[in-house]
Amino acid sequence: MPRPPMHTLDAVAALRQTVRDWKRQGLTVGLVPTMGALHEGHLSLARAALAQADRVIVSIFVNPTQFDNPSDLATYPRTWDDDRRLLADAGVHVLYAPTVAEMYPAGFATHVSVAGVSAGLCGAHRPGHFDGVATVVCKLFLQSQADMAFFGEKDFQQIHVVRRMAADLDIPIRLVACPTLREADGLAMSSRN
Ligand code: PAF
């Protein structure tokens, strides 16, 4: 049977309506949060989601609040056309790509800060980074109402921060940690490589 085309959505309301329709049909929903510049590691998360959930959303949002360095944000790779093609070929159902104004409308004033696990390691070198991650991931969870979310074990501290945040805020979502994919020389695959 031919695969239905992937839909690209950029608004919270449209995402909510789509997920509401899926849930009315009794379908489960998986979310793979990304910042784009997709590589085989992201695709392995999408494949894990497709194996476990009836419908899969991949989000692409280069989240400004998790960059402590403006030039890092400006030079972060953006490969929109390739990303769209890869996700459609993988059989992802929805690509959710909100604008910065959709994610952080004028007057936005709330931040999620996860004490303890955000300190040390990466958090010690990137002030505010994990607050930015926790805030945007919290919003993505609430916007998508997904039943499960898929993260790479590569970002070890990030998984712990997100797990703590979801547990503390009673967000009903199951987190699935997926193995790190590596280049032939052993380097963990990353959009920044
Ligand atoms: O791991 C990432 O790509 C980002 O930190 C995430 C989880 C998509 C939040 O912006």
Side-chain angles (χ1 to χ4, degrees), residues 1 30-31 43 74-75 88 90 94 105 107 114-115 132 144 165 167 178 186 192:
M1 205 163 74
L31 170 72
L43 296 178
T75 57
V94 163
V114 184
S144 68
M165 176 276 291
C178 301
R192 293 170 194 274

Side-chain angles (χ1 to χ4, degrees), residues 33-35 42 61 63 66 76 129 133 136-137 151 155 158:
T34 84
M35 296 204 299
H42 295 112
F61 181 65
N63 176 32
Q66 70 186 76
Y76 195 83
H129 169 69
V133 170
V136 80
V137 172
F151 290 86
D155 301 307
Q158 172 168 280

Side-chain angles (χ1 to χ4, degrees), residues 116-165:
V117 277
S118 295
L121 302 173
C122 222
H125 302 283
R126 302 177 69 186
H129 169 69
F130 284 120
D131 289 1
V133 170
T135 303
V136 80
V137 172
C138 179
K139 284 176 68 76
L140 288 167
F141 285 179
L142 298 174
Q143 291 172 352
S144 68
Q145 308 278 305
D147 301 292
M148 52 198 110
F150 297 76
F151 290 86
E153 282 173 350
K154 173 176 80 66
D155 301 307
F156 180 77
Q157 193 174 11
Q158 172 168 280
I159 292 184
H160 285 271
V161 169
V162 169
R163 215 181 268 295
R164 186 78 258 162
M165 176 276 291

